[in-house]
Amino acid sequence: MSSISEAGVDAARARYQRVDLHCHTRASDGSLTPAQLCERAVELRIELLAITDHDTAGGYREARDYLASHPLPLRLLPAAEFSCVWKNINVHIVGLGIDADSEAARTAFAFLGDARLQRAELIGEKLAKLRMPGACAGALALAGDSQIGRPHFARYLVAQGHVGSIDAAFDRYLGAGKVGDIKAVWPSLEQVVAWIAAAGGVAVLAHPLKYKMTATRLRLLVAEFKAAGGGAIEVVTGRQQADWSFLAQLSRQHGLEASQGSDFHGPGLGWGDLGAISPMPAGCTPVWLRWSSPEPSC
Ligand code: AMP
Ligand code: MN
Ligand code: MN
Ligand code: MN
């Protein structure tokens, strides 16, 4: 199992949340298998978990199958993190409680999987022009069965010695506004929200502060997300030292439920651990009340 020392687990138990509705496995760009992630969640006393791999329910499915043969005190929600574009910004929408086998979900994942492959080719072409050939094939090889993403390109660029670190790969070539930041392949926000609704899920605007928008722009995004049928926003997300009260206020003003999630990608990857998130501010309606009893802190 993953390496949390006993002392670490004890300290963590005291402060970690019991609900984590945003995390990744090797089905996309996380480093743990779905089984390892479930075991870690139980060590950290998480009770309700949504595995939200990028544009695939593969991580959820594998975890569900693991729990069927290894019963653990953990409730798993079927989920994924969907990519879309809004006003030329790459926005992420978590779909919670989706029927992963529905026609809408299958259509969405097929579309998004194709989009990722198309984007990988385009990123490869851009990097080749900058005298870094072979990146598409290299990233695909690193991804294996996982949903291909920019982190696989980052790993390839590090392995080839083109950059010294993953951070440098994003800073120079892959991050927002750089050559590898290709958004033309993504569906619209409205399309993604519609797919999630048709799959019976709740659409959650992921990590709203990560887009680095002005407050005015973010209000517009939240209003348009709500108008499109969005149901919740992530008020508390991992690794951010932020003023959650602004997001809490946005959720209340727009009649959106509140979600929370660590966005954990793996131990030692610089992301917060599972459940390592601030408590939900008072006055929010937790989205997970749809699936469980209330948290005492809310
Ligand atoms: P993609 O989903 O392929 O567009 O890639 C976006 C993913 O890259 C995010 O979900 C993060 O996991 C990762 N990422 C984004 N920015 C950085 C960064 N500066 N350093 C490391 N990983 C990053
Ligand atoms: Mn990611
Ligand atoms: Mn995201
Ligand atoms: Mn994520």
Side-chain angles (χ1 to χ4, degrees), residues 24-27 30-40 51 53 59 62-63 66:
H24 296 267
T25 73
R26 272 192 213 162
S31 66
L32 298 184
T33 64
Q36 287 171 328
L37 190 82
C38 289
E39 294 285 354
R40 191 180 187 92
I51 294 177
D53 277 306
E62 217 180 305
Y66 178 76

Side-chain angles (χ1 to χ4, degrees), residues 10-108:
D10 286 344
R13 279 173 185 157
R15 66 175 194 274
Y16 283 20
Q17 300 296 307
R18 302 277 188 264
V19 175
D20 193 328
L21 303 179
H22 189 151
C23 62
H24 296 267
T25 73
R26 272 192 213 162
S28 62
D29 56 1
S31 66
L32 298 184
T33 64
Q36 287 171 328
L37 190 82
C38 289
E39 294 285 354
R40 191 180 187 92
V42 171
E43 277 190 68
L44 292 166
R45 296 214 176 151
I46 285 169
E47 291 163 5
L48 182 67
L49 182 74
I51 294 177
T52 54
D53 277 306
H54 296 287
D55 301 321
T56 175
Y60 157 71
R61 282 178 212 284
E62 217 180 305
R64 176 196 62 190
D65 295 348
Y66 178 76
L67 292 175
S69 54
H70 300 77
L72 293 172
L74 179 67
R75 178 130 189 234
L76 191 67
L77 282 183
E81 182 174 11
F82 296 72
S83 305
C84 67
V85 69
W86 179 81
K87 298 201 187 299
N88 208 34
I89 298 166
N90 186 189
V91 166
H92 287 172
I93 309 291
V94 164
L96 294 178
I98 53 172
D99 174 353
D101 299 316
S102 62
E103 199 184 326
R106 281 188 282 116
T107 301

Side-chain angles (χ1 to χ4, degrees), residues 164-175:
S165 68
I166 299 285
D167 272 352
F170 274 92
D171 285 350
R172 286 169 66 179
Y173 303 115
L174 301 166

